[in-house]
Amino acid sequence: MIRVAAVGDIHMAPDSRGLLRPAFETLGDRADLFLLAGDLTRHGTPEEARVVAEEITGLPVPVVAVLGNHDYQDDRPEEVADILRSAGATVLEGGSTVLRVNGTAVGIAGVKGFCGGFAGRSAGEFGEPEMKAFVRSTRLSADSLHRELEALAGRECLLRIALTHFSPVRDTLAGEPEEIYPFLGSYQLAEAIDGAGADLAVHGHAHLGTEHGMTGGGVLVRNVAQPVIRRAFAVYHLACGTDAGAAVEEGRPVYADRGMS
Protein backbone atom coordinates (compact mmCIF):
# COMPACT_ATOMS: atom_id res chain seq x y z
CA MET A 1 0.00 0.00 0.00
CA ILE A 2 1.48 3.34 -1.08
CA ARG A 3 0.39 6.34 0.97
CA VAL A 4 0.28 9.60 -0.99
CA ALA A 5 0.01 12.86 0.95
CA ALA A 6 -0.96 15.95 -1.02
CA VAL A 7 -1.94 19.59 -0.64
CA GLY A 8 -2.09 22.66 -2.85
CA ASP A 9 -2.89 26.35 -2.52
CA ILE A 10 -1.15 26.90 0.79
CA HIS A 11 -0.32 30.48 -0.31
CA MET A 12 2.51 31.04 2.12
CA ALA A 13 4.15 34.36 2.97
CA PRO A 14 6.32 35.64 5.85
CA ASP A 15 3.31 36.09 8.12
CA SER A 16 2.52 32.35 7.85
CA ARG A 17 6.05 31.13 8.58
CA GLY A 18 6.00 27.91 10.60
CA LEU A 19 2.24 27.46 10.35
CA LEU A 20 2.31 24.09 8.57
CA ARG A 21 5.63 22.72 9.75
CA PRO A 22 4.26 20.86 12.82
CA ALA A 23 1.78 18.95 10.64
CA PHE A 24 4.35 18.32 7.91
CA GLU A 25 6.72 16.78 10.45
CA THR A 26 4.16 14.00 11.04
CA LEU A 27 4.37 12.85 7.41
CA GLY A 28 6.83 10.09 8.20
CA ASP A 29 4.13 8.26 10.16
CA ARG A 30 1.34 8.90 7.66
CA ALA A 31 2.69 8.89 4.13
CA ASP A 32 5.37 7.60 1.79
CA LEU A 33 5.58 10.70 -0.41
CA PHE A 34 4.29 14.27 -0.42
CA LEU A 35 2.83 16.14 -3.41
CA LEU A 36 2.48 19.93 -3.59
CA ALA A 37 -0.07 20.98 -6.21
CA GLY A 38 0.95 24.58 -6.82
CA ASP A 39 0.07 28.05 -5.50
CA LEU A 40 2.58 27.53 -2.75
CA THR A 41 3.17 31.29 -2.44
CA ARG A 42 0.88 34.31 -2.57
CA HIS A 43 2.69 36.38 -5.17
CA GLY A 44 5.59 34.24 -6.37
CA THR A 45 8.36 36.22 -4.69
CA PRO A 46 11.64 34.64 -3.60
CA GLU A 47 10.95 35.80 -0.04
CA GLU A 48 7.69 33.82 -0.01
CA ALA A 49 9.35 30.84 -1.66
CA ARG A 50 11.92 30.77 1.14
CA VAL A 51 9.06 30.48 3.65
CA VAL A 52 7.77 27.42 1.79
CA ALA A 53 11.31 26.04 1.68
CA GLU A 54 11.56 26.30 5.45
CA GLU A 55 8.32 24.36 5.82
CA ILE A 56 9.53 21.43 3.69
CA THR A 57 13.26 21.25 4.43
CA GLY A 58 14.32 17.93 5.91
CA LEU A 59 10.92 16.27 5.80
CA PRO A 60 10.94 12.49 6.35
CA VAL A 61 9.39 11.72 2.93
CA PRO A 62 10.23 12.80 -0.66
CA VAL A 63 8.54 16.03 -1.77
CA VAL A 64 7.42 16.55 -5.39
CA ALA A 65 5.87 19.85 -6.48
CA VAL A 66 4.47 21.82 -9.38
CA LEU A 67 4.01 25.58 -9.38
CA GLY A 68 0.69 27.38 -9.70
CA ASN A 69 -0.42 30.67 -11.20
CA HIS A 70 0.32 32.59 -7.98
CA ASP A 71 3.88 31.29 -8.10
CA TYR A 72 4.26 33.00 -11.49
CA GLN A 73 2.90 36.40 -10.41
CA ASP A 74 6.32 38.00 -9.75
CA ASP A 75 7.63 36.67 -13.10
CA ARG A 76 10.34 34.63 -11.36
CA PRO A 77 9.02 31.05 -11.44
CA GLU A 78 12.44 29.54 -12.07
CA GLU A 79 13.85 31.33 -9.04
CA VAL A 80 10.91 30.08 -6.96
CA ALA A 81 11.48 26.54 -8.24
CA ASP A 82 15.21 26.71 -7.50
CA ILE A 83 14.55 27.79 -3.91
CA LEU A 84 12.21 24.84 -3.44
CA ARG A 85 14.78 22.51 -5.00
CA SER A 86 17.40 23.81 -2.57
CA ALA A 87 15.06 22.61 0.20
CA GLY A 88 15.07 19.11 -1.28
CA ALA A 89 11.88 19.20 -3.36
CA THR A 90 11.64 17.88 -6.90
CA VAL A 91 9.88 20.59 -8.91
CA LEU A 92 8.33 19.45 -12.18
CA GLU A 93 7.16 21.40 -15.21
CA GLY A 94 6.66 19.07 -18.11
CA GLY A 95 8.89 16.48 -16.47
CA SER A 96 8.64 13.37 -14.35
CA THR A 97 10.37 11.54 -11.54
CA VAL A 98 10.40 7.99 -10.21
CA LEU A 99 10.40 7.22 -6.49
CA ARG A 100 11.12 3.82 -4.99
CA VAL A 101 8.66 3.17 -2.19
CA ASN A 102 9.01 -0.15 -0.38
CA GLY A 103 10.35 -1.68 -3.56
CA THR A 104 7.59 -0.24 -5.76
CA ALA A 105 8.40 2.20 -8.55
CA VAL A 106 6.05 5.17 -8.28
CA GLY A 107 6.18 7.57 -11.23
CA ILE A 108 4.99 11.16 -10.98
CA ALA A 109 4.48 13.36 -14.04
CA GLY A 110 3.98 17.03 -13.26
CA VAL A 111 2.94 20.18 -15.04
CA LYS A 112 1.18 23.36 -14.00
CA GLY A 113 -1.41 23.02 -16.73
CA PHE A 114 -3.53 25.94 -17.87
CA CYS A 115 -7.02 27.18 -18.73
CA GLY A 116 -9.35 26.55 -21.64
CA GLY A 117 -12.51 24.87 -20.39
CA PHE A 118 -14.19 21.54 -20.85
CA ALA A 119 -15.93 19.56 -23.55
CA GLY A 120 -18.62 21.61 -25.29
CA ARG A 121 -17.59 24.79 -23.48
CA SER A 122 -13.95 25.30 -24.32
CA ALA A 123 -11.74 27.74 -26.17
CA GLY A 124 -10.21 26.76 -29.51
CA GLU A 125 -6.78 27.38 -31.01
CA PHE A 126 -8.25 29.57 -33.73
CA GLY A 127 -8.53 33.21 -34.71
CA GLU A 128 -6.51 36.01 -33.21
CA PRO A 129 -2.87 35.43 -32.25
CA GLU A 130 -3.76 36.10 -28.62
CA MET A 131 -6.40 33.35 -28.58
CA LYS A 132 -4.17 30.88 -30.39
CA ALA A 133 -1.32 31.55 -27.95
CA PHE A 134 -3.68 31.12 -24.98
CA VAL A 135 -4.98 27.73 -26.08
CA ARG A 136 -1.59 26.63 -27.37
CA SER A 137 -0.23 27.00 -23.83
CA THR A 138 -2.80 24.50 -22.62
CA ARG A 139 -2.18 22.09 -25.50
CA LEU A 140 1.58 22.10 -25.04
CA SER A 141 1.17 21.59 -21.32
CA ALA A 142 -1.17 18.64 -21.88
CA ASP A 143 1.16 17.20 -24.52
CA SER A 144 4.06 17.22 -22.07
CA LEU A 145 1.94 15.54 -19.40
CA HIS A 146 0.95 12.80 -21.86
CA ARG A 147 4.54 12.31 -22.95
CA GLU A 148 5.86 12.01 -19.41
CA LEU A 149 3.13 9.61 -18.27
CA GLU A 150 3.88 7.40 -21.27
CA ALA A 151 7.59 7.54 -20.49
CA LEU A 152 6.90 6.44 -16.92
CA ALA A 153 5.07 3.38 -18.25
CA GLY A 154 8.20 2.55 -20.21
CA ARG A 155 10.19 2.75 -16.98
CA GLU A 156 8.04 -0.02 -15.51
CA CYS A 157 6.37 2.14 -12.89
CA LEU A 158 3.66 0.10 -11.23
CA LEU A 159 1.92 3.30 -10.12
CA ARG A 160 1.67 6.55 -12.07
CA ILE A 161 0.40 9.85 -10.71
CA ALA A 162 -0.43 13.01 -12.68
CA LEU A 163 0.30 16.15 -10.65
CA THR A 164 -1.08 19.48 -11.93
CA HIS A 165 -2.25 22.80 -10.57
CA PHE A 166 -5.15 23.39 -12.97
CA SER A 167 -7.96 20.86 -13.00
CA PRO A 168 -8.36 18.19 -15.68
CA VAL A 169 -12.09 17.68 -15.02
CA ARG A 170 -15.29 19.58 -14.24
CA ASP A 171 -16.21 17.24 -11.37
CA THR A 172 -13.82 18.78 -8.86
CA LEU A 173 -14.93 22.32 -9.74
CA ALA A 174 -18.44 21.82 -8.34
CA GLY A 175 -19.04 24.72 -5.97
CA GLU A 176 -17.21 27.26 -8.12
CA PRO A 177 -19.23 29.66 -10.30
CA GLU A 178 -19.72 27.92 -13.64
CA GLU A 179 -18.79 31.13 -15.45
CA ILE A 180 -15.16 30.70 -14.35
CA TYR A 181 -14.79 26.99 -15.13
CA PRO A 182 -12.81 27.79 -18.32
CA PHE A 183 -10.23 29.56 -16.15
CA LEU A 184 -9.88 26.70 -13.68
CA GLY A 185 -8.74 23.92 -16.00
CA SER A 186 -8.97 22.13 -19.31
CA TYR A 187 -10.30 18.90 -20.74
CA GLN A 188 -7.01 18.56 -22.61
CA LEU A 189 -5.30 17.60 -19.35
CA ALA A 190 -7.81 14.79 -18.83
CA GLU A 191 -7.31 13.60 -22.41
CA ALA A 192 -3.58 13.43 -21.75
CA ILE A 193 -4.11 11.47 -18.54
CA ASP A 194 -6.56 9.03 -20.10
CA GLY A 195 -4.51 8.66 -23.25
CA ALA A 196 -1.29 7.75 -21.46
CA GLY A 197 -2.82 6.14 -18.38
CA ALA A 198 -2.50 6.95 -14.69
CA ASP A 199 -3.69 5.66 -11.34
CA LEU A 200 -4.38 9.00 -9.69
CA ALA A 201 -4.56 12.66 -10.74
CA VAL A 202 -4.01 15.39 -8.16
CA HIS A 203 -4.60 19.12 -8.64
CA GLY A 204 -5.39 22.34 -6.78
CA HIS A 205 -6.50 25.84 -7.87
CA ALA A 206 -10.28 25.50 -7.31
CA HIS A 207 -10.69 26.83 -3.76
CA LEU A 208 -14.47 26.48 -3.77
CA GLY A 209 -14.48 23.16 -5.58
CA THR A 210 -14.97 19.55 -4.54
CA GLU A 211 -12.37 16.98 -3.53
CA HIS A 212 -13.49 13.93 -5.52
CA GLY A 213 -13.77 13.49 -9.27
CA MET A 214 -12.93 11.17 -12.15
CA THR A 215 -11.80 11.46 -15.76
CA GLY A 216 -13.90 10.05 -18.56
CA GLY A 217 -11.48 7.14 -18.74
CA GLY A 218 -11.92 6.26 -15.07
CA VAL A 219 -8.82 7.82 -13.50
CA LEU A 220 -9.56 9.11 -10.03
CA VAL A 221 -9.03 12.87 -9.61
CA ARG A 222 -8.54 14.67 -6.30
CA ASN A 223 -8.67 18.42 -5.72
CA VAL A 224 -6.29 18.99 -2.82
CA ALA A 225 -6.55 22.78 -2.60
CA GLN A 226 -6.23 23.45 1.11
CA PRO A 227 -9.51 25.41 1.29
CA VAL A 228 -11.19 22.26 -0.06
CA ILE A 229 -9.53 19.56 2.07
CA ARG A 230 -9.48 21.87 5.15
CA ARG A 231 -6.37 20.39 6.71
CA ALA A 232 -2.60 20.46 6.28
CA PHE A 233 -2.72 17.60 3.77
CA ALA A 234 -4.87 14.72 2.61
CA VAL A 235 -3.61 11.15 2.37
CA TYR A 236 -4.65 8.73 -0.37
CA HIS A 237 -3.82 5.02 -0.44
CA LEU A 238 -2.83 3.25 -3.64
CA ALA A 239 -2.81 -0.54 -3.34
CA CYS A 240 -0.44 -2.50 -5.53
CA GLY A 241 1.19 -5.88 -5.91
CA THR A 242 0.48 -8.33 -3.13
CA ASP A 243 -1.06 -5.56 -1.03
CA ALA A 244 -4.03 -5.41 -3.39
CA GLY A 245 -4.67 -9.14 -3.18
CA ALA A 246 -7.85 -10.29 -4.91
CA ALA A 247 -8.79 -6.66 -5.59
CA VAL A 248 -6.24 -6.40 -8.40
CA GLU A 249 -7.83 -6.84 -11.83
CA GLU A 250 -5.58 -7.60 -14.79
CA GLY A 251 -2.55 -6.41 -12.85
CA ARG A 252 -3.86 -2.88 -12.41
CA PRO A 253 -3.37 -1.28 -8.98
CA VAL A 254 -6.55 -0.55 -7.07
CA TYR A 255 -7.27 2.69 -5.25
CA ALA A 256 -8.25 2.64 -1.59
CA ASP A 257 -9.67 5.87 -0.21
CA ARG A 258 -7.80 8.28 1.98
CA GLY A 259 -7.01 8.17 5.64
CA MET A 260 -7.35 11.24 7.82
CA SER A 261 -4.70 13.91 8.20
Side-chain angles (χ1 to χ4, degrees):
M1 188 74 72
I2 307 300
R3 304 167 299 169
V4 180
V7 70
D9 302 83
I10 55 178
H11 294 289
M12 301 209 78
D15 63 357
S16 57
R17 178 174 278 111
L19 181 65
L20 295 174
R21 182 69 188 192
F24 288 177
E25 287 180 346
T26 70
L27 281 163
D29 297 323
R30 302 185 180 194
D32 300 303
L33 58 100
F34 188 28
L35 305 180
L36 297 174
D39 274 9
L40 309 178
T41 66
R42 293 182 192 167
H43 302 99
T45 67
E47 181 183 24
E48 293 172 347
R50 283 189 281 273
V51 174
V52 181
E54 291 171 10
E55 302 292 289
I56 64 172
T57 296
L59 291 183
V61 297
V63 179
V64 181
V66 295
L67 301 185
N69 54 301
H70 277 249
D71 305 317
Y72 277 67
Q73 171 60 22
D74 200 46
D75 296 326
R76 290 190 275 184
E78 282 305 320
E79 191 170 347
V80 169
D82 285 343
I83 291 169
L84 299 180
R85 291 185 182 110
S86 72
T90 298
V91 183
L92 301 174
E93 177 52 45
S96 61
T97 188
V98 178
L99 304 177
R100 283 278 172 185
V101 180
N102 301 324
T104 297
V106 180
I108 302 159
V111 67
K112 175 175 63 68
F114 199 48
C115 313
F118 302 90
R121 295 175 175 83
S122 61
E125 197 173 334
F126 181 86
E128 301 91 339
E130 295 84 357
M131 178 58 76
K132 286 187 279 193
F134 179 88
V135 179
R136 187 179 302 119
S137 294
T138 302
R139 175 174 56 79
L140 293 176
S141 183
D143 288 349
S144 67
L145 182 62
H146 183 277
R147 180 186 66 244
E148 294 300 321
L149 285 170
E150 278 199 329
L152 289 172
R155 296 172 70 179
E156 299 183 347
C157 292
L158 184 58
L159 294 172
R160 288 179 292 161
I161 301 171
L163 175 62
T164 66
H165 179 62
F166 286 80
S167 176
V169 296
R170 289 173 53 95
D171 297 9
T172 51
L173 305 183
E176 295 279 2
E178 289 195 11
E179 292 85 353
I180 69 169
Y181 277 22
F183 303 102
L184 297 177
S186 169
Y187 76 94
Q188 295 191 57
L189 295 171
E191 286 192 342
I193 292 166
D194 284 339
D199 302 288
L200 177 67
V202 172
H203 75 89
H205 195 45
H207 292 199
L208 300 178
T210 301
E211 184 178 0
H212 298 79
M214 184 177 292
T215 68
V219 176
L220 292 153
V221 180
R222 297 296 180 256
N223 176 5
V224 298
Q226 194 174 58
V228 172
I229 62 174
R230 298 178 182 237
R231 51 196 182 279
F233 52 85
V235 178
Y236 306 99
H237 295 81
L238 291 172
C240 58
T242 56
D243 288 338
V248 176
E249 296 179 4
E250 298 181 356
R252 184 175 177 80
V254 175
Y255 175 86
D257 211 346
R258 73 187 190 285
M260 290 172 49
S261 297

